[in-house]
Amino acid sequence: MALAGTDLATGLRALVGDAAVLDDADSRERYGRDETERGGGPDAPFFPPQVVVLPERVDQVAAVLRFASAQRIPVTPRGAGTGLSGGALPVYGGIALGLERLGRIRSIDARNLVVEAEAGVITADLQRAVEAQGLFYPPDPASRDSCQLGGNLAEDSAGPRSCKYGTTRAWVLGLEAVLASGEVIHTGGKNRKDVAGYNLTQLLVGSEGTLAVITAATLRLTSLPAATLTMILPFPALAAAARAVETICAEHDPAACEILEAAAIDAVGRLMPLPPMLRASAALLLIELHGEHRDRLLERAELLAAAAAAAGAGEAMVAYDAAEERRLWAIRRRVGEAVKYLSTYKEADAVVPRAALADLVLAARAAADRHGLQAICYGHAGDGNLHINLLRGDLDAAAWHARRDAAEGELFEAVAALAGKITGEHGVGWTQRRYLPLSVDPPTLALMKSVKAAFDPMGILNPGKIFP
Ligand SMILES: Cc1cc2nc3c(=O)[nH]c(=O)nc-3n(C[C@H](O)[C@H](O)[C@H](O)COP(=O)(O)OP(=O)(O)OC[C@H]3O[C@@H](n4cnc5c(N)ncnc54)[C@H](O)[C@@H]3O)c2cc1C
């Protein structure tokens, strides 16, 4: 029998101290929301926990989980709450377990090119710390100035640079984590190779806080690229841009290859001035190249622009200095903000095999049109991963929810028909769970459920997530 609010807070205070346990209305309100429906205000998903616990040490995390197991109280791990699939929402109440105070970079080991850091470290802080030593941690979610490593690991987050460097998963060598029982486990380590037993590290990455609470990670590093080059290619037709992505990725090894379709260009154009050539385009590709010498990159950019021109692209805009590079990237990075400025929106995060990218945009537009919604598409073209923003406009809550769900359902059916998946980086979480069977067949789904039961037999860790 689960404890009521005050008893629960009292029990937890005895374990981790008064300062680590919050049960006031403001804290419960704050930890009851995330970024799932951006700009959603009072209609956005809201599930307040009974109590918020903010441990500072791994032994405190373990004590909380031992207690929750004994009392059968749901525990929802939480990073910065920037998630877009409702993963951090305590849908069954109980304990919101915020990892933000586990914020130490334990060591930067330049000899082995690894960093050990706790779950609550902000991603951009980790990047700055290693870059100060000439080292590079590539995963770059657009939320990196606020999201935390634990959230990145739980979601296998990615960003533009995953085109060349892979997602968070590719950079994890080992984890420290706490099981639902309160036991602390250590997977992997600093070794580049490790086949000693099952690869639990990679099982926990992307498990969305349903298998264990990640408290720290050993992450691989590489050298900072000596030179970078950013360019934008305007296209008169979406299909031409999508086809060019195939050639660019096959022949030019871009670090990033991002796409904005016309509606996204238009939205950004309302926030910042854009050259007429870009405004008039049906699609833009933003490319970043990494290498040893700037001159070599300029040569590569010329070849790339020529190949793109053969595919229909207009004149390339190449950034000639760091300020110009930032300006070009702002066109891509400000799309989310630009859409939020237009309307509340729900972001679908579909991924398809790269060659089906144009079909994905067309399917998204068709699904939105059928239900009278505007769709704005942009994202990680090099990974075949698009963010499809469905806009609420001035619809009331009932009409918005009905149309959004219908359009999203049809979109995900189309994604499955293109051999894609319902999510590439934002996770299944709470909002996408009913669609999981479109991406995972029944025997595989049954196996996933038995893995969950093996880790968390009482089902206290982040219940209500991933599974339909
Ligand atoms: C403006 C904006 C831009 C974004 N851009 C990107 C992007 O480019 N790429 C991308 O991939 N995502 C992006 N996101 C989504 C989001 O930022 C990522 O999913 C991020 O990794 C979530 O981290 P967080 O710390 O906020 O986690 P939260 O939102 O707090 O939690 C996310 C999930 O992780 C679990 N979790 C959190 N910490 C732990 C832990 N220590 N142990 C176990 N489970 C844990 C939670 O239970 C939940 O299921 C964006 C979001 C916003 C608002």
Side-chain angles (χ1 to χ4, degrees):
M1 177 76 168
L3 294 173
T6 318
D7 292 345
L8 177 56
T10 308
L12 288 163
R13 284 191 178 108
L15 288 175
V16 294
D18 287 358
V21 180
L22 313 173
D23 61 350
D24 60 286
D26 279 358
S27 305
R28 294 177 56 237
E29 155 95 26
R30 204 152 21 102
Y31 287 82
R33 299 185 187 280
D34 68 0
E35 289 284 335
T36 294
E37 188 170 297
R38 301 210 69 214
D43 291 338
F46 176 49
F47 296 94
Q50 279 170 278
V51 61
V52 179
V53 184
L54 303 175
E56 286 179 358
R57 302 189 312 268
V58 182
D59 63 298
Q60 292 181 328
V61 176
V64 171
L65 285 163
R66 268 196 306 275
F67 176 83
S69 266
Q71 305 290 340
R72 300 193 175 220
I73 293 164
V75 177
T76 305
R78 182 183 175 100
T82 66
L84 296 169
S85 58
L89 299 175
V91 293
Y92 290 103
I95 300 170
L97 185 64
L99 280 305
E100 63 208 55
R101 292 184 182 169
L102 268 85
R104 279 189 320 131
I105 296 177
R106 291 181 181 169
S107 66
I108 299 175
D109 177 351
R111 289 177 65 197
N112 286 306
L113 286 178
V114 295
V115 54
E116 280 185 86
E118 293 181 345
V121 172
I122 304 282
T123 311
D125 289 345
L126 180 99
Q127 288 176 323
R128 279 189 284 269
V130 301
E131 281 167 24
Q133 302 197 16
L135 302 172
F136 186 40
Y137 175 69
D140 59 341
S143 50
R144 64 184 163 181
D145 286 316
S146 50
C147 65
Q148 299 171 11
L149 286 177
N152 295 175
L153 292 158
E155 299 286 13
D156 187 22
S157 296
R161 297 197 295 229
S162 65
C163 183
K164 180 180 173 76
Y165 297 98
T167 64
T168 298
R169 182 183 292 295
W171 296 87
V172 187
L173 290 173
L175 294 174
E176 174 191 271
V178 185
L179 300 178
S181 61
E183 279 166 294
V184 180
I185 61 166
H186 298 90
T187 70
K190 287 188 179 181
N191 300 295
R192 298 264 150 174
K193 291 179 168 181
D194 178 353
V195 285
Y198 295 140
N199 193 336
L200 298 181
T201 307
Q202 293 297 338
L203 180 59
L204 292 184
V205 175
S207 66
E208 302 191 32
T210 62
L211 299 183
V213 178
I214 296 165
T215 48
T218 304
L219 303 167
R220 201 161 64 81
L221 301 171
T222 184
S223 311
L224 260 179
T228 64
L229 181 143
T230 302
M231 64 196 291
I232 285 188
L233 298 161
F235 285 84
L238 175 70
R243 267 199 310 280
V245 170
E246 293 170 37
T247 318
I248 290 167
C249 290
E251 295 175 10
H252 300 281
D253 187 29
C257 177
E258 300 282 301
I259 192 165
L260 280 74
E261 53 109 15
I265 303 167
D266 187 53
V268 176
R270 291 163 192 251
L271 277 193
M272 58 188 281
L274 294 181
M277 177 177 75
L278 300 191
R279 268 185 179 281
S281 307
L284 302 179
L285 292 183
L286 185 151
I287 315 286
E288 185 167 294
L289 302 174
H290 287 181
E292 289 304 313
H293 301 285
R294 176 82 183 169
D295 291 349
R296 297 289 89 71
L297 291 186
L298 283 166
E299 286 165 15
R300 269 169 68 194
E302 254 178 56
L303 290 175
L304 196 155
E315 197 184 336
M317 288 178 69
V318 176
Y320 284 98
D321 59 24
E324 178 70 358
E325 202 163 292
R326 279 195 295 278
R327 222 178 57 75
L328 294 191
W329 265 108
I331 297 173
R332 162 64 183 89
R333 291 206 192 280
R334 295 193 72 183
V335 182
E337 180 193 350
V339 178
K340 194 172 171 180
Y341 181 72
L342 286 178
S343 162
T344 294
Y345 69 92
K346 171 73 174 41
E347 184 160 322
D349 163 48
V351 59
V352 293
R354 197 158 52 206
L357 194 67
D359 297 327
L360 175 58
V361 178
L362 296 179
R365 285 221 196 110
D369 283 352
R370 273 194 297 274
H371 298 281
L373 296 174
Q374 190 189 352
I376 297 186
C377 303
Y378 64 100
H380 314 303
D383 288 336
N385 180 202
L386 278 192
H387 299 319
I388 298 151
N389 293 175
L390 297 173
L391 273 60
R392 175 172 177 169
D394 53 10
L395 292 174
D396 65 32
W400 160 236
H401 293 147
R403 292 190 199 190
R404 177 200 65 193
D405 291 353
E408 205 172 50
E410 288 175 20
L411 165 65
F412 288 145
E413 296 273 357
V415 165
L418 294 169
K421 299 282 177 175
I422 60 168
T423 175
E425 58 180 28
H426 294 166
V428 181
W430 179 67
T431 51
Q432 255 66 256
R433 69 199 190 289
R434 86 190 88 149
Y435 305 115
L436 188 63
L438 288 170
S439 286
V440 180
D441 61 39
T444 311
L445 193 56
L447 182 60
M448 287 183 183
K449 286 182 178 170
S450 57
V451 170
K452 163 73 177 167
F455 271 80
D456 177 20
M458 284 187 293
I460 62 157
L461 258 185
N462 212 357
K465 307 297 164 61
I466 298 186
F467 298 109

